[in-house]
Amino acid sequence: MSDETNDAGRTSWVPGADGHVMFPLQNLPFGVFSVNDVPRVGVAIGDMILDMAAIEAAGLLRPDPDLTVFDVPALNPFMSVGRFAWGETRRNLSRLLGGEDPRLKDNPILSGRALVRADQAKLHMPFAVAEFTDFHASREHACNLTALLCGPDHALPANWDHMPIAHNGRASTVIVSGTGVRRPMGQLKAGEEKRPRFAPSAGLDFELELGAVVGVRSAIGTRLSTSEADAAIFGYVLLNDWSARDIQHWECVPLGPFQGKVFATTISPWVVTTAALAPFRTPPPPRRTPLLPHLREGMPHNLDIELGVSLQARDGDAAEVTRTNARHLYFSAAQQLAHHSACGCAMSIGDLLGSGTISGDGPGSYGSLFELTWNGSRPLTLPGGAVRTFLEDGDMVTMRGWCSRAGRVPIGFGTCAGVVQPAI
Ligand code: CA
């Protein structure tokens, strides 16, 4: 639910925060940063980062009176203090940076120490990923994939409209934006080849996804309702689930994907909280068939987040190759999490749920090159003349996400970027 922290009329005394396209006072995303090699929790405000460890040490915010939760290199300890403390921290932080609580604004020594210029900081992985589950929750993407792999007249599998399909990925290879992505080696076999060969993937692709960060633990045997699941999500990141299509297609029958997906998944460094996104909730697409009770929603859990991907060849200019919106997802993150726990699966603090590639209903809104180039049959021409079907070494993929709505202050996620490195 929206509260006073989302009010459009609120302003900050931090220079550059008001009107900032990504990080105004209404956003306050959490991340992990360092200036001198000591990573700790920070909050983005305008072009600055508020050093939460300094604020905690000065006693201005103490989410846990007995433990240090911000002078640590991950958000997991803060997430573990629970939802009530998340909300309390957000309200108190908003008052400190809004000036109603003057203890930071009127203390130039502390504010000078605690506010760090973002361009002088290094951003790290924001949380320790417990486990990573990759869903398949965009109906448009699922239909495109089915058409490309099985033929245009093939229907989606019968289960698709009834539950969010997923596979378990690898937490070990989730990396933060800016980390290079090594082209994977793998088993490949083209249709006309008699035997597979082991070679660098020639079908490297991006997948535009939204990642939900689970902030509340649930015990084995516990089944979360969609509203409990929604409340257990601390926040969201942009997520690029890099995929090697040629490896994936050879391995994925009958039990994939595996190697085609697990080499790298990039996330954006700032976790935009569920609380900050409250004004941007939106109803899901129309249901094609009634959902079973455990997946029904009492309120809209979908999010109106505009998403774009730009592609830049080594010597060329960046060009936006797709634009879509997270509101197209057929199953919300709350439904994904509710379904994940429906069998009694325990969920952990730091679990990451990828939405699956988010595609819209037209060719300019597809969330992967596999769809944008229709499996290589419609190459893209980039500024400077480079032609792409899949990614080449040196290509940079940058994802962006932002929310804007009449009467609301726009907020954003920043970027989720990676450059393709040659295979070893
Ligand atoms: Ca994926």
Side-chain angles (χ1 to χ4, degrees):
M1 292 291 100
S2 284
D3 63 18
E4 67 275 15
T5 62
N6 307 108
D7 283 351
R10 293 185 52 67
T11 56
S12 174
W13 53 269
V14 177
D18 296 340
H20 195 275
V21 292
M22 291 287 166
F23 307 130
L25 182 61
Q26 286 77 1
N27 193 346
L28 304 179
F30 285 82
V32 170
F33 78 103
S34 66
V35 179
N36 297 313
D37 290 335
V38 187
R40 54 201 182 273
V41 173
V43 165
I45 176 79
D47 292 321
M48 312 291 279
I49 297 172
L50 181 66
D51 180 342
M52 295 296 284
I55 297 299
E56 184 179 48
L60 271 56
L61 288 174
R62 298 272 335 176
D64 187 320
D66 303 319
L67 283 178
T68 296
V69 298
F70 292 134
D71 197 6
V72 284
L75 289 172
N76 304 56
F78 174 54
M79 290 195 281
S80 70
V81 299
R83 285 189 59 223
F84 180 79
W86 305 345
E88 187 87 342
T89 301
R90 178 174 166 82
R91 278 188 295 279
N92 291 337
L93 191 54
S94 182
R95 288 170 53 78
L96 276 177
L97 293 171
E100 294 95 333
D101 178 346
R103 289 179 296 162
L104 182 60
K105 177 177 171 241
D106 292 350
N107 184 338
I109 295 172
L110 179 59
S111 63
R113 193 153 45 86
L115 282 166
V116 176
R117 278 178 47 181
D119 60 5
Q120 292 177 349
K122 176 175 161 58
L123 296 174
H124 301 262
M125 268 296 291
F127 60 100
V129 181
E131 299 193 58
F132 170 46
T133 311
D134 189 28
F135 282 84
H136 191 49
S138 158
R139 202 172 192 285
E140 290 80 359
H141 171 69
C143 288
N144 286 341
L145 231 61
T146 303
L148 279 161
L149 296 175
C150 308
D153 302 324
H154 230 82
L156 283 181
N159 57 9
W160 204 95
D161 286 331
H162 295 281
M163 62 179 169
I165 307 291
H167 69 98
N168 283 304
R170 289 291 297 177
S172 61
T173 43
V174 180
I175 53 181
V176 73
S177 176
T179 311
V181 173
R182 184 72 58 191
R183 178 181 301 276
M185 300 286 292
Q187 274 205 23
L188 314 175
K189 183 186 166 305
E192 67 279 6
E193 290 176 312
K194 285 220 165 58
R195 294 175 57 79
R197 58 207 156 79
F198 187 71
S201 168
L204 186 57
D205 199 354
F206 62 79
E207 290 194 332
L208 170 61
E209 305 194 17
L210 190 65
V213 184
V214 177
V216 176
R217 157 184 313 115
S218 61
I220 188 166
T222 306
R223 187 169 64 244
L224 301 174
S225 68
T226 53
S227 61
E228 288 166 338
D230 181 67
I233 296 170
F234 175 74
Y236 293 82
V237 290
L238 304 175
L239 188 152
N240 183 351
D241 191 30
W242 305 87
S243 297
R245 300 298 177 195
D246 40 6
I247 297 173
Q248 183 183 348
H249 295 160
W250 166 235
E251 73 181 358
C252 75
V253 178
L255 200 64
F258 181 42
Q259 296 286 287
K261 298 276 189 184
V262 297
F263 56 94
T265 299
T266 304
I267 61 170
S268 53
W270 294 110
V271 181
V272 177
T273 61
T274 303
L277 291 164
F280 305 101
R281 285 174 180 261
T282 191
R287 296 293 150 200
R288 304 179 63 92
T289 184
L291 293 175
L292 289 169
H294 76 290
L295 291 177
R296 289 185 197 147
E297 295 182 313
M299 62 172 287
H301 296 316
N302 270 50
L303 296 168
D304 184 359
I305 304 171
E306 195 74 3
L307 300 164
V309 181
S310 68
L311 181 53
Q312 183 173 18
R314 198 193 305 264
D315 298 318
D317 294 326
E320 188 172 81
V321 293
T322 193
R323 176 71 74 85
T324 184
N325 192 297
R327 69 170 181 268
H328 297 306
L329 287 169
Y330 194 79
F331 295 105
S332 67
Q335 287 172 318
Q336 294 162 32
L337 179 53
H339 186 64
H340 208 321
S341 72
C343 62
C345 175
M347 302 304 299
S348 304
I349 293 168
D351 277 349
L352 176 64
L353 311 184
S355 61
T357 307
I358 303 172
S359 290
D361 57 8
S365 67
Y366 295 160
S368 66
L369 285 175
F370 187 54
E371 295 162 271
L372 286 166
T373 69
W374 213 247
N375 195 17
S377 67
R378 302 170 194 163
L380 295 176
T381 302
L382 303 176
V387 176
R388 289 289 180 275
T389 50
F390 291 105
L391 297 170
E392 298 197 0
D393 294 345
D395 284 356
M396 175 150 77
V397 178
T398 305
M399 298 180 170
R400 288 183 179 77
W402 63 97
C403 306
S404 65
R405 183 171 274 194
R408 293 296 185 174
V409 173
I411 63 170
F413 284 74
T415 58
C416 176
V419 176
V420 178
Q421 317 283 321
I424 301 178

